[in-house]
Every structure is written in C-alpha cells, then in structure tokens.
Amino acid sequence: MQRASPANHGSQSPLGAREVSYASWRGRLIALACAGALSACAGDGPASSTATSSFDTIQRTIFNVNCLFAGCHNATDRSGNMVLAEGQSYSHLVNVVPDNAAARAAGLLRVAPEDPARSFLLFKLEGGPNLITRFGSRMPLTGVPLSSTDIERIRDWIVAGAPPPDSSAARAAAAPFPTPTASTKPTVRPTSTPAPSATPTPSLLVKGADLFSP
C-alpha cells in the first residue's frame, strides 16, 4: 500500500526560492534603471529662458522708469541726441557712435554687441573714479544709480549680442485700431423699387358732346 505524501502548506524547494529571489531583484533593478533614465531625461531639458536679459524687459523695467524724465532721453528733449523711448531706443543704441567726443576717440559705441568693454552705455551706468573727467556724469542723472542687478541685466543682453526687441509684440502694441477701407467696408446694394404697373391709356378721349353723336 502506497504511503500518502504530506500536504504542501506553502513550503518551497530551494530552487523555487532562488527563482523568486532572482525575480524580485530583477524587478528592483529594472525600477532603478527606469528611475535613472527619467532623471537623466529631466536634466537634459532646455535651459530656463533668460527673459530678464531681453531688450523688452530692459525697456520696460529700466529705460521707461529711469530715463524718460524732462530734460532726459525722451523723444522731445533728446539729451545727448539719444532717445530711449520705446520703439526708438534700440536704433539709438546698438552700433551707434556716441556724441561724446572722448568716447568716440576711445573707439566706443553706445552698445557694441558681444563687447561690454566697448559699450559706452555701461561706462555711463557703472560710473567710476575717472568717469566725469573722461566721459561726463553718471547716468541716470536724476534719481539714484541703477542697481547692480539692472546693470548686470544690460551687460548680459550685450554679451548675448544685443538682440532686438520682439518686433511682433511691439507691432501689436503699437498698431492702431484698424480703419475700414474700401475693400473691408460692407457692400450695400441699393434696393430696387418696383416699377408701377402700367395703366391702360385710352386711345381716344371721349368728350361729353360725342356721347350724343349719331
């Protein structure tokens, strides 16, 4: 008579235990590899935008706030033959020879793209012990000097090649309300007045006397 084998209550053979252990470690390794790959991808993303160095930001937060007072670089007074009002400032700065004779003699430009050392604008903003004797007063002439953060913002913009403002945004801001033209005005067609119905005209006029004619 064959002896009944004892019931299996969850016990595993050594081989089965090794397989479970291997599968567990394999799953952990795959999870770690995926996590590392995701972390590497996140680190390879595009660098954050340096919007604070854009000319649009410089115009809005520096020039508009500090440089357009009466007697300064507004479109009316044009101090130093330079306008820093929005829409004109870029063309008055980049690759422009300064009116200051000493700056011209030193080979400076108001803004020399990628070359802060040749940018007269930075000399005027940073000041220095020899600024007045060489190039005149520090700017802005009214109020307090610019903060180091604002000056570095302008320097970063120059180092980046002094890119122009966002012309599409500038055009959208400056565009007037469109005026209807002949091509855009709605076509109004005149309503036709129906012709009056024709009334029969008698060919003969009957006179009262004719009524009694034979």
Side-chain angles (χ1 to χ4, degrees), residues 13 67 82 101 110 131 139 143 164:
S13 66
C67 306
M82 182 172 67
R110 286 177 177 168
L131 177 70
M139 294 290 135

Side-chain angles (χ1 to χ4, degrees), residues 147-194:
S147 67
S148 58
T149 300
D150 285 343
I151 293 175
E152 281 306 306
R153 184 173 297 164
I154 294 175
R155 182 187 300 277
D156 291 343
W157 167 70
I158 293 174
V159 169
D166 182 357
S167 57
S168 60
R171 284 197 300 268
F177 189 83
T179 303
T181 60
S183 59
T184 60
K185 289 180 179 178
T187 302
V188 180
R189 298 187 179 186
T191 56
S192 58
T193 303

